[in-house]
PDB file of all heavy atoms in Angstrom:
ATOM      1  N   ASN A  62      43.109  57.416  57.880  1.00 96.00           N
ATOM      2  CA  ASN A  62      42.017  58.331  58.142  1.00 96.00           C
ATOM      3  C   ASN A  62      40.688  57.760  57.719  1.00 96.00           C
ATOM      4  O   ASN A  62      39.716  57.776  58.488  1.00 96.00           O
ATOM      5  CB  ASN A  62      42.266  59.658  57.403  1.00 96.00           C
ATOM      6  CG  ASN A  62      43.119  60.585  58.182  1.00 96.00           C
ATOM      7  OD1 ASN A  62      42.723  61.058  59.237  1.00 96.00           O
ATOM      8  ND2 ASN A  62      44.306  60.860  57.676  1.00 96.00           N
ATOM      9  N   TYR A  63      40.596  57.254  56.522  1.00 97.00           N
ATOM     10  CA  TYR A  63      39.318  56.757  56.031  1.00 97.00           C
ATOM     11  C   TYR A  63      38.829  55.586  56.864  1.00 97.00           C
ATOM     12  O   TYR A  63      37.704  55.572  57.374  1.00 97.00           O
ATOM     13  CB  TYR A  63      39.375  56.334  54.562  1.00 97.00           C
ATOM     14  CG  TYR A  63      38.130  55.584  54.170  1.00 97.00           C
ATOM     15  CD1 TYR A  63      36.928  56.265  54.017  1.00 97.00           C
ATOM     16  CD2 TYR A  63      38.133  54.197  54.045  1.00 97.00           C
ATOM     17  CE1 TYR A  63      35.760  55.562  53.718  1.00 97.00           C
ATOM     18  CE2 TYR A  63      36.991  53.519  53.738  1.00 97.00           C
ATOM     19  CZ  TYR A  63      35.804  54.196  53.575  1.00 97.00           C
ATOM     20  OH  TYR A  63      34.641  53.507  53.293  1.00 97.00           O
ATOM     21  N   SER A  65      39.692  54.355  59.848  1.00 96.00           N
ATOM     22  CA  SER A  65      39.427  54.627  61.253  1.00 96.00           C
ATOM     23  C   SER A  65      38.097  55.335  61.421  1.00 96.00           C
ATOM     24  O   SER A  65      37.284  54.973  62.285  1.00 96.00           O
ATOM     25  CB  SER A  65      40.562  55.472  61.850  1.00 96.00           C
ATOM     26  OG  SER A  65      40.295  55.735  63.206  1.00 96.00           O
ATOM     27  N   ASN A  66      37.826  56.334  60.617  1.00 97.00           N
ATOM     28  CA  ASN A  66      36.571  57.075  60.703  1.00 97.00           C
ATOM     29  C   ASN A  66      35.384  56.243  60.212  1.00 97.00           C
ATOM     30  O   ASN A  66      34.298  56.343  60.756  1.00 97.00           O
ATOM     31  CB  ASN A  66      36.691  58.406  59.930  1.00 97.00           C
ATOM     32  CG  ASN A  66      37.438  59.426  60.714  1.00 97.00           C
ATOM     33  OD1 ASN A  66      36.916  60.038  61.623  1.00 97.00           O
ATOM     34  ND2 ASN A  66      38.709  59.610  60.367  1.00 97.00           N
ATOM     35  N   HIS A  67      35.594  55.452  59.191  1.00 97.00           N
ATOM     36  CA  HIS A  67      34.533  54.601  58.678  1.00 97.00           C
ATOM     37  C   HIS A  67      34.064  53.606  59.752  1.00 97.00           C
ATOM     38  O   HIS A  67      32.856  53.361  59.897  1.00 97.00           O
ATOM     39  CB  HIS A  67      34.998  53.861  57.423  1.00 97.00           C
ATOM     40  CG  HIS A  67      33.965  53.037  56.782  1.00 97.00           C
ATOM     41  ND1 HIS A  67      32.903  53.585  56.071  1.00 97.00           N
ATOM     42  CD2 HIS A  67      33.793  51.696  56.719  1.00 97.00           C
ATOM     43  CE1 HIS A  67      32.138  52.623  55.624  1.00 97.00           C
ATOM     44  NE2 HIS A  67      32.642  51.468  55.990  1.00 97.00           N
ATOM     45  N   LEU A  68      34.992  53.049  60.495  1.00 97.00           N
ATOM     46  CA  LEU A  68      34.643  52.120  61.577  1.00 97.00           C
ATOM     47  C   LEU A  68      33.761  52.791  62.632  1.00 97.00           C
ATOM     48  O   LEU A  68      32.945  52.129  63.265  1.00 97.00           O
ATOM     49  CB  LEU A  68      35.920  51.610  62.283  1.00 97.00           C
ATOM     50  CG  LEU A  68      36.695  50.549  61.524  1.00 97.00           C
ATOM     51  CD1 LEU A  68      38.010  50.303  62.229  1.00 97.00           C
ATOM     52  CD2 LEU A  68      35.908  49.260  61.404  1.00 97.00           C
ATOM     53  N   GLU A  69      33.918  54.097  62.795  1.00 95.00           N
ATOM     54  CA  GLU A  69      33.143  54.856  63.763  1.00 95.00           C
ATOM     55  C   GLU A  69      31.808  55.361  63.198  1.00 95.00           C
ATOM     56  O   GLU A  69      31.083  56.085  63.852  1.00 95.00           O
ATOM     57  CB  GLU A  69      33.957  56.043  64.286  1.00 95.00           C
ATOM     58  CG  GLU A  69      35.228  55.633  65.015  1.00 95.00           C
ATOM     59  CD  GLU A  69      34.953  54.906  66.321  1.00 95.00           C
ATOM     60  OE1 GLU A  69      33.919  55.204  66.981  1.00 95.00           O
ATOM     61  OE2 GLU A  69      35.751  54.025  66.681  1.00 95.00           O
ATOM     62  N   GLY A  70      31.502  54.993  61.951  1.00 96.00           N
ATOM     63  CA  GLY A  70      30.221  55.366  61.361  1.00 96.00           C
ATOM     64  C   GLY A  70      30.245  56.609  60.488  1.00 96.00           C
ATOM     65  O   GLY A  70      29.185  57.128  60.129  1.00 96.00           O
ATOM     66  N   ASN A  71      31.433  57.087  60.150  1.00 97.00           N
ATOM     67  CA  ASN A  71      31.533  58.277  59.285  1.00 97.00           C
ATOM     68  C   ASN A  71      30.928  57.947  57.909  1.00 97.00           C
ATOM     69  O   ASN A  71      31.219  56.901  57.340  1.00 97.00           O
ATOM     70  CB  ASN A  71      32.994  58.702  59.157  1.00 97.00           C
ATOM     71  CG  ASN A  71      33.161  60.053  58.552  1.00 97.00           C
ATOM     72  OD1 ASN A  71      32.856  60.247  57.392  1.00 97.00           O
ATOM     73  ND2 ASN A  71      33.657  60.995  59.334  1.00 97.00           N
ATOM     74  N   ALA A  72      30.136  58.867  57.368  1.00 96.00           N
ATOM     75  CA  ALA A  72      29.407  58.626  56.122  1.00 96.00           C
ATOM     76  C   ALA A  72      30.194  58.978  54.874  1.00 96.00           C
ATOM     77  O   ALA A  72      29.714  58.695  53.765  1.00 96.00           O
ATOM     78  CB  ALA A  72      28.087  59.428  56.152  1.00 96.00           C
ATOM     79  N   LEU A  73      31.352  59.599  54.983  1.00 97.00           N
ATOM     80  CA  LEU A  73      32.115  59.949  53.786  1.00 97.00           C
ATOM     81  C   LEU A  73      32.666  58.703  53.118  1.00 97.00           C
ATOM     82  O   LEU A  73      33.141  57.769  53.800  1.00 97.00           O
ATOM     83  CB  LEU A  73      33.263  60.895  54.141  1.00 97.00           C
ATOM     84  CG  LEU A  73      32.965  62.393  54.074  1.00 97.00           C
ATOM     85  CD1 LEU A  73      31.905  62.781  55.072  1.00 97.00           C
ATOM     86  CD2 LEU A  73      34.217  63.188  54.293  1.00 97.00           C
ATOM     87  N   THR A  74      32.599  58.677  51.783  1.00 97.00           N
ATOM     88  CA  THR A  74      33.180  57.575  51.040  1.00 97.00           C
ATOM     89  C   THR A  74      34.700  57.737  51.056  1.00 97.00           C
ATOM     90  O   THR A  74      35.220  58.795  51.420  1.00 97.00           O
ATOM     91  CB  THR A  74      32.680  57.542  49.592  1.00 97.00           C
ATOM     92  OG1 THR A  74      33.188  58.719  48.911  1.00 97.00           O
ATOM     93  CG2 THR A  74      31.172  57.462  49.506  1.00 97.00           C
ATOM     94  N   ALA A  78      36.588  61.328  51.436  1.00 97.00           N
ATOM     95  CA  ALA A  78      37.551  61.568  52.517  1.00 97.00           C
ATOM     96  C   ALA A  78      38.892  62.010  51.941  1.00 97.00           C
ATOM     97  O   ALA A  78      39.535  62.946  52.441  1.00 97.00           O
ATOM     98  CB  ALA A  78      37.705  60.304  53.361  1.00 97.00           C
ATOM     99  N   PRO A  92      27.029  65.013  56.467  1.00 96.00           N
ATOM    100  CA  PRO A  92      27.038  65.802  57.712  1.00 96.00           C
ATOM    101  C   PRO A  92      28.360  66.559  57.900  1.00 96.00           C
ATOM    102  O   PRO A  92      29.436  66.021  57.644  1.00 96.00           O
ATOM    103  CB  PRO A  92      26.876  64.737  58.810  1.00 96.00           C
ATOM    104  CG  PRO A  92      26.264  63.556  58.132  1.00 96.00           C
ATOM    105  CD  PRO A  92      26.773  63.605  56.724  1.00 96.00           C
ATOM    106  N   ARG A  94      29.683  67.278  60.614  1.00 97.00           N
ATOM    107  CA  ARG A  94      30.421  66.561  61.675  1.00 97.00           C
ATOM    108  C   ARG A  94      31.382  65.546  61.083  1.00 97.00           C
ATOM    109  O   ARG A  94      32.525  65.390  61.529  1.00 97.00           O
ATOM    110  CB  ARG A  94      29.425  65.857  62.578  1.00 97.00           C
ATOM    111  CG  ARG A  94      30.087  65.059  63.712  1.00 97.00           C
ATOM    112  CD  ARG A  94      29.184  64.005  64.257  1.00 97.00           C
ATOM    113  NE  ARG A  94      28.948  63.088  63.124  1.00 97.00           N
ATOM    114  CZ  ARG A  94      28.239  61.993  63.178  1.00 97.00           C
ATOM    115  NH1 ARG A  94      27.650  61.649  64.273  1.00 97.00           N
ATOM    116  NH2 ARG A  94      28.106  61.208  62.152  1.00 97.00           N
ATOM    117  N   ASP A  95      30.955  64.854  60.003  1.00 97.00           N
ATOM    118  CA  ASP A  95      31.825  63.852  59.382  1.00 97.00           C
ATOM    119  C   ASP A  95      33.056  64.499  58.769  1.00 97.00           C
ATOM    120  O   ASP A  95      34.164  63.938  58.837  1.00 97.00           O
ATOM    121  CB  ASP A  95      31.059  63.083  58.310  1.00 97.00           C
ATOM    122  CG  ASP A  95      30.026  62.129  58.905  1.00 97.00           C
ATOM    123  OD1 ASP A  95      29.970  62.020  60.160  1.00 97.00           O
ATOM    124  OD2 ASP A  95      29.253  61.528  58.128  1.00 97.00           O
ATOM    125  N   HIS A  96      32.899  65.676  58.209  1.00 97.00           N
ATOM    126  CA  HIS A  96      34.046  66.403  57.651  1.00 97.00           C
ATOM    127  C   HIS A  96      35.021  66.813  58.752  1.00 97.00           C
ATOM    128  O   HIS A  96      36.218  66.671  58.601  1.00 97.00           O
ATOM    129  CB  HIS A  96      33.575  67.636  56.873  1.00 97.00           C
ATOM    130  CG  HIS A  96      32.787  67.299  55.650  1.00 97.00           C
ATOM    131  ND1 HIS A  96      31.451  67.054  55.664  1.00 97.00           N
ATOM    132  CD2 HIS A  96      33.183  67.154  54.356  1.00 97.00           C
ATOM    133  CE1 HIS A  96      31.048  66.784  54.443  1.00 97.00           C
ATOM    134  NE2 HIS A  96      32.084  66.847  53.628  1.00 97.00           N
ATOM    135  N   TYR A  97      34.470  67.318  59.859  1.00 97.00           N
ATOM    136  CA  TYR A  97      35.323  67.708  60.982  1.00 97.00           C
ATOM    137  C   TYR A  97      36.041  66.507  61.594  1.00 97.00           C
ATOM    138  O   TYR A  97      37.200  66.612  61.996  1.00 97.00           O
ATOM    139  CB  TYR A  97      34.499  68.401  62.081  1.00 97.00           C
ATOM    140  CG  TYR A  97      34.134  69.817  61.764  1.00 97.00           C
ATOM    141  CD1 TYR A  97      32.853  70.285  61.928  1.00 97.00           C
ATOM    142  CD2 TYR A  97      35.089  70.736  61.298  1.00 97.00           C
ATOM    143  CE1 TYR A  97      32.505  71.592  61.610  1.00 97.00           C
ATOM    144  CE2 TYR A  97      34.764  72.034  60.994  1.00 97.00           C
ATOM    145  CZ  TYR A  97      33.464  72.456  61.165  1.00 97.00           C
ATOM    146  OH  TYR A  97      33.132  73.746  60.869  1.00 97.00           O
ATOM    147  N   GLU A  98      35.396  65.336  61.622  1.00 97.00           N
ATOM    148  CA  GLU A  98      36.054  64.149  62.159  1.00 97.00           C
ATOM    149  C   GLU A  98      37.249  63.746  61.315  1.00 97.00           C
ATOM    150  O   GLU A  98      38.326  63.443  61.844  1.00 97.00           O
ATOM    151  CB  GLU A  98      35.058  62.973  62.208  1.00 97.00           C
ATOM    152  CG  GLU A  98      34.057  63.090  63.343  1.00 97.00           C
ATOM    153  CD  GLU A  98      33.036  61.937  63.293  1.00 97.00           C
ATOM    154  OE1 GLU A  98      33.038  61.137  62.341  1.00 97.00           O
ATOM    155  OE2 GLU A  98      32.215  61.878  64.222  1.00 97.00           O
ATOM    156  N   ILE A  99      37.070  63.759  59.997  1.00 97.00           N
ATOM    157  CA  ILE A  99      38.168  63.409  59.074  1.00 97.00           C
ATOM    158  C   ILE A  99      39.314  64.404  59.240  1.00 97.00           C
ATOM    159  O   ILE A  99      40.472  64.013  59.358  1.00 97.00           O
ATOM    160  CB  ILE A  99      37.674  63.374  57.619  1.00 97.00           C
ATOM    161  CG1 ILE A  99      36.685  62.229  57.381  1.00 97.00           C
ATOM    162  CG2 ILE A  99      38.875  63.274  56.645  1.00 97.00           C
ATOM    163  CD1 ILE A  99      37.263  60.851  57.268  1.00 97.00           C
TER     164      ILE A  99
END
Side-chain angles (χ1 to χ4, degrees):
N62 275 294
Y63 169 73
S65 180
N66 282 283
H67 184 72
L68 284 171
E69 297 294 327
N71 192 293
L73 270 62
T74 66
R94 179 201 64 177
D95 289 354
H96 293 85
Y97 284 132
E98 285 176 355
I99 294 283

